């Protein structure tokens, strides 16, 4: 079967019970006098599947009526009945496939208007940092491909074009539902540009996806902040090193401290430091909120060891392998890392694979 393989048959009693439950849920929402935005979104999600399910019930009833008709000796009538049965049978097959596609594309897990994405270099030193930058650029490309919005919270780049750590907020329809599958350890196997002996190195990058509810906001009060200024150190010219432009902010309730000395202006460094602090507090608060229901970040990131991987990028073989699904291998690494259609296709495979498992759990548990 196109959508669900041998796992699902729409005619199965358990699937029928599940579909009937969706139908009752839809009409219960429809008659509500006051509906929340969440209720309206759920209704829109259910409406197409419920409509096809009701059409299917009519077709099944019509087929049953045809079967109950006694055989007629009139050859022309026999032929008409045969053609009608075949026509209904064809419609039933199409509806079954469409209903399967419909319920597999639904997601019963809560969605969120935005998310925080962290990309962090793991094992592998400079090579891991270089690949962290490539992955981060891939996700920026994917955000553009999907028409979502991205807000940079924090980046820590290296002198050779790598990234130690990058944090962003991504907002858009289904952004969380798509990108939640990207959380975990990504492994790269390739010969670094600095490797003279031609030996393949293995490095890792961790990606963390943290949902961000629409009503979420961290209140950063001035009375909770201890702000210190000092002379900047390191490169930057005479002006940077002879004025108190560097800023350090301590969040007194949590003890979290951030620093910024990237700009010549103390005011600009203060603004950047506040943004960094807000990003850290937001991340901590969201992780705490969701840790009671799921070991979210731990399950995604693990310990950033080489063997805890969700996906491998093998440059020597020009191959991407996602280890969570069958058929999770693709080629053309350059195209994949652009963050366009190839990445989107793999994410859709992951969504449908997870939905199959989710659906089986619901049906076996409740139907």
């Amino acid at each position: 079967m196109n959508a669900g393989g041998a796992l699902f048959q729409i005619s199965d009693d358990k699937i029928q019970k599940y579909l009937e439950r969706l139908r009752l849920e839809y009409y219960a929402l429809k008659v509500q006098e006051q509906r929340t935005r969440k209720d309206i979104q759920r209704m829109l999600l259910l409406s197409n599947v419920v409509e096809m399910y009701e059409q299917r019930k009519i077709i099944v009833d019509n087929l049953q009526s045809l079967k109950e008709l006694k055989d007629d000796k009139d050859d022309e009538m026999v032929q008409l009945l045969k053609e009608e049965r075949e026509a209904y049978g064809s419609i039933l097959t199409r509806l079954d496939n469409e209903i399967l596609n419909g319920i597999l594309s639904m997601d019963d897990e809560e969605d969120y208007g935005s998310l925080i994405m962290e990309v962090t270099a793991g094992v592998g030193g400079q090579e891991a940092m270089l690949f962290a930058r490539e992955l981060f650029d891939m996700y920026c490309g994917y955000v553009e491909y999907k028409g979502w919005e991205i807000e940079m919270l924090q980046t820590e780049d290296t002198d050779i074009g790598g990234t130690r750590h990058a944090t962003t907020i991504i907002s858009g329809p289904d952004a969380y539902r798509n990108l939640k599958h990207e959380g975990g350890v990504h492994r790269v196997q390739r010969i670094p540009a600095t490797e003279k002996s031609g030996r393949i190195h293995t490095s890792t990058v961790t990606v963390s996806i943290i949902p961000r509810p629409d009503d979420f906001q961290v209140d950063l009060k001035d009375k909770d902040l201890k702000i210190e200024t000092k002379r900047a150190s390191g490169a930057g010219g005479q002006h940077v090193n002879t004025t108190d432009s560097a800023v350090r902010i301590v969040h007194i309730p949590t003890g979290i401290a951030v620093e910024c000395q990237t700009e010549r202006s103390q005011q600009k460094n203060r603004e950047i430091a506040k943004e960094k602090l807000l990003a850290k507090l937001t991340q901590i608060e969201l992780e705490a909120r969701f840790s009671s229901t799921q070991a979210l970040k731990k399950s995604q990131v693990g310990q950033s060891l080489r063997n805890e991987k969700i996906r491998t990028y093998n440059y020597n073989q020009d191959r991407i392998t996602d280890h969570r699904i069958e058929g999770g291998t693709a080629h053309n690494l350059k195209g994949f890392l652009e963050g366009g259609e190839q990445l989107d296709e793999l994410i859709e495979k992951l969504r449908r694979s997870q939905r199959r498992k989710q659906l089986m759990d619901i049906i076996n548990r409740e139907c």
Side-chain angles (χ1 to χ4, degrees):
M1 190 169 292
N2 293 342
L7 285 175
F8 302 114
Q9 294 286 343
I10 293 297
S11 56
D12 287 352
D13 287 343
K14 285 187 175 183
I15 298 286
Q16 287 290 307
K17 286 179 182 177
Y18 174 71
L19 288 167
E20 183 62 25
R21 199 188 80 184
L22 294 183
R23 190 182 74 85
L24 294 174
E25 180 188 353
Y26 171 74
Y27 283 108
L29 287 169
K30 196 171 183 180
V31 297
Q32 277 183 202
E33 290 186 6
Q34 292 184 326
R35 289 190 288 266
T36 64
R37 190 177 72 168
K38 190 176 176 181
D39 290 336
I40 293 168
Q41 287 174 338
R42 181 65 177 169
M43 273 186 65
L44 290 171
L45 198 65
L46 291 170
S47 61
N48 192 40
V49 169
V50 170
E51 182 182 344
M52 290 188 294
Y53 171 58
E54 290 179 336
Q55 287 178 16
R56 185 187 191 279
K57 289 175 74 174
I58 293 169
I59 296 298
V60 169
D61 287 345
N62 288 344
L63 273 171
Q64 187 59 39
S65 298
L66 286 175
K67 286 179 182 177
E68 289 171 0
L69 288 175
K70 292 182 179 179
D71 289 337
D72 199 299
K73 291 183 179 179
D74 185 336
D75 290 343
E76 187 176 343
M77 183 60 69
V78 169
Q79 183 62 28
L80 283 172
L81 288 173
K82 181 185 176 184
E83 289 174 0
E84 198 166 351
R85 289 191 191 105
E86 287 175 353
Y88 281 137
S90 177
I91 295 170
L92 189 62
T93 300
R94 177 179 58 80
L95 282 172
D96 282 1
N97 281 326
E98 288 179 358
I99 291 169
L100 270 176
N101 277 311
I103 59 177
L104 285 173
S105 64
M106 291 168 64
D107 193 332
D108 287 336
E109 290 185 13
E110 190 169 359
D111 193 20
Y112 300 89
S114 61
L115 60 101
I116 289 181
M117 171 182 276
E118 281 185 284
V119 177
T120 306
V123 177
Q126 290 286 354
E127 175 63 12
M129 295 177 202
L130 287 169
F131 190 62
R133 183 73 220 183
E134 290 174 63
L135 272 191
F136 180 70
D137 288 344
M138 177 183 79
Y139 291 123
C140 289
Y142 189 58
V143 169
E144 185 178 349
Y145 175 78
K146 299 293 283 186
W148 300 330
E149 294 180 3
I150 189 166
E151 177 188 346
M152 190 67 64
L153 291 183
Q154 182 184 4
T155 58
E156 190 178 346
D157 297 331
T158 68
D159 294 338
I160 63 169
T163 296
R164 290 186 179 88
H165 179 88
T167 307
T168 62
I169 294 175
I170 297 171
S171 309
D174 281 339
Y176 175 70
R177 282 192 170 137
N178 279 273
L179 288 172
K180 67 182 178 182
H181 302 290
E182 294 302 292
V185 178
H186 297 244
R187 185 176 72 168
V188 60
Q189 296 174 325
R190 65 183 177 188
I191 302 169
T194 55
E195 174 60 55
K196 294 178 182 178
S197 65
R199 185 169 60 90
I200 293 175
H201 286 230
T202 297
S203 307
T204 64
V205 173
T206 61
V207 176
S208 176
I209 306 295
I210 306 163
R212 190 170 184 264
D214 294 337
D215 60 353
F216 181 82
Q217 191 172 354
V218 170
D219 187 15
L220 204 59
K221 297 183 176 71
D222 287 339
K223 68 182 180 66
D224 292 335
L225 306 180
K226 179 183 176 184
I227 302 177
E228 303 168 348
T229 59
K230 61 179 181 178
R231 288 188 180 181
S233 59
Q238 187 178 2
H239 181 78
V240 168
N241 293 295
T242 57
T243 61
D244 291 343
S245 59
V247 176
R248 183 174 187 266
I249 302 180
V250 179
H251 186 247
I252 298 168
T254 61
I256 293 172
V258 295
E259 290 187 21
C260 182
Q261 61 175 35
T262 56
E263 302 293 328
R264 289 188 175 191
S265 160
Q266 184 191 108
Q267 181 61 34
K268 187 65 177 174
N269 283 333
R270 186 188 294 244
E271 290 172 7
I272 294 171
K274 275 191 173 183
E275 288 175 3
K276 284 185 175 183
L277 179 60
L278 188 62
K280 284 194 174 186
L281 292 173
T282 297
Q283 183 180 331
I284 290 167
E285 176 63 28
L286 287 172
E287 285 177 4
R289 182 181 289 202
F290 292 101
S291 63
S292 59
T293 55
Q294 53 185 313
L296 181 70
K297 193 170 181 186
K298 183 179 177 183
S299 67
Q300 292 176 352
V301 176
Q303 298 300 312
S304 190
L305 298 177
R306 288 186 175 90
N307 60 346
E308 296 182 356
K309 59 190 183 294
I310 63 164
R311 190 176 298 152
T312 296
Y313 305 75
N314 188 304
Y315 275 69
N316 194 41
Q317 299 175 12
D318 192 29
R319 171 176 52 81
I320 310 101
T321 303
D322 197 291
H323 305 283
R324 295 165 291 178
I325 53 171
E326 289 184 22
T329 298
H331 293 86
N332 184 14
L333 257 166
K334 183 180 178 182
F336 189 87
L337 290 171
E338 289 174 358
E341 186 178 353
Q342 272 190 278
L343 176 59
D344 196 44
E345 286 175 357
L346 183 56
I347 287 175
E348 181 59 24
K349 281 185 181 180
L350 288 162
R351 284 187 66 174
R352 293 176 76 84
S353 175
Q354 186 200 47
R355 176 59 181 158
R356 285 188 186 94
K357 293 172 186 174
Q358 185 187 65
L359 195 53
M360 288 300 291
D361 288 342
I362 292 170
I363 289 167
N364 289 331
R365 184 176 66 246
E366 300 178 16
C367 298

